[in-house]
Amino acid sequence: MSKKEFRVAVCGATGAVGQEMLATLAQRDFPASEVIPMASARSAGKTVQYKGQDLTVVEMTEDSFTGIDVALFSAGGGPSEKFAPAAAKAGCVVVDNSSAWRMDPECPLVVPEVNPQDLDWHKGIIANPNCSTIQMVVALQPLHLEAGIKRVVVSTYQAVSGSGQEAIDELEEQTRRLMNGKPIVAEVYPHQIAFNCLPQIDAFLDDGYTKEEMKMVNETVKIMGDSNIKVTATTVRVPVFYGHSESVNIETREKLTAEDVRTLLAAAPGVTVVDYPEKLAYPMAIDSAGEDDVFVGRIREDNTIENGLNMWIVADNIRKGAALNTVQIAETLIERDLLRVP
Ligand code: 25A
Ligand code: L14
């Protein structure tokens, strides 16, 4: 039997994603008997807000997890690698936002709209996918079930909030300085991000792709559970605060018309279609900020191949791309009776 209420840890609670996790738990009235915010020693003693109350941040250590039922991690790959196994050993179910566990065959990689059934084989650590991957698979899955996806070519336009609070501050500061004719410094990113586009997200690999690009390739196959789906990606940082946008070209096995796609996506969970060219209406990053859904528009047939489609996919990277998807995983664990009293 599931317990009715759970003790929930938010690990990395002072970060951009951790803050949104606290807000999301509160907004969705997650059944928490207690919420315990954790971060590094640097932030211990600071307070964070939850349901109008001040909660004191405690340092995350290997001993922090006794008596905690579920821990939502967003403290980066290093801390996740170090602390998630200790948490799982203490009987706490970890839902991890970092890249540390995503491709581990022992860890389900879950988007609740796409593969909730993968939660059934969890062994204590569940991975939350990369933000760009999450919003793409939410929109791809309904087309895949109907017509079989063969190949996807995606280019992303990613907001700076994906790299945390320091990056949000860097874009703001550079913009302000440039508008005042002052010199800028680039610290978080290797080049100026204000009024610019950087065709690099995360580190380069030997083959010329970046880690972010390969996350989209590998995670899509794992989540959708079909190794025949071929994905190739170019990921780009743009001077936007919140909301990732993606231009996606799709080749399917069976023919889908643009109207078929609109009908399928209009009925899909977690998707809102915004596709009214006559009204100049299409999804935009600034409208996605603070919203839960994945927005899809600019749906067109690509007539250069037999079964081709183009579309434009936008979502709030900190919400559906991170905090909301993590909380939805925890909610789905409860629904499937997978969060149990030890
Ligand atoms: O490794 P990955 O997977 O690639 O992830 C890299 C980063 O991406 C974000 C997240 O940043 C992560 O650090 N992220 C993760 N998943 C994401 C997703 N799905 C994602 N972004 C988008 N989508 P973040 O800013 O959101 O969160 C960082 C939080 O982690 C806490 N933390 C760090 N090390 C920890 C730890 N908590 C416990 N144990 C550890 N060892 C971090 O808290 C924050 O809450 P903090 O206390 O370390 O820092 C709080 C504030 O301190 C300032 N600061 C940061 N670095 C320094 C610093 N001050 C001085 N010196 C520094 N070196 C900042 O102002 C920070 O907010
Ligand atoms: O793997 O925008 O979740 O820099 C962490 C860094 C997501 C993107 C992850 C960024 C990424 C993020």
Side-chain angles (χ1 to χ4, degrees), residues 211-239:
K211 282 190 182 173
E212 181 79 352
E213 286 159 353
M214 294 318 292
K215 287 177 204 169
M216 295 194 76
V217 172
N218 297 322
E219 294 180 22
T220 299
V221 166
K222 181 168 175 179
I223 299 161
M224 294 180 65
D226 187 339
S227 55
N228 294 318
I229 302 174
K230 293 188 171 33
V231 180
T232 185
T234 303
T235 57
V236 181
R237 184 81 61 194
V238 296

Side-chain angles (χ1 to χ4, degrees), residues 12-18 39-40 42-43 46 60 74-79 83 97-99 102 128-129 131 162 164-166 215 317-318 321-322:
T14 53
V17 176
S40 70
R42 198 164 44 223
S43 295
K46 281 188 196 162
M60 172 161 67
S74 187
F83 295 110
N97 238 306
S98 81
S99 49
R102 290 177 186 153
N128 189 79
C131 37
Q165 190 58 49
E166 294 90 0
K215 287 177 204 169
N317 55 303
I318 298 296

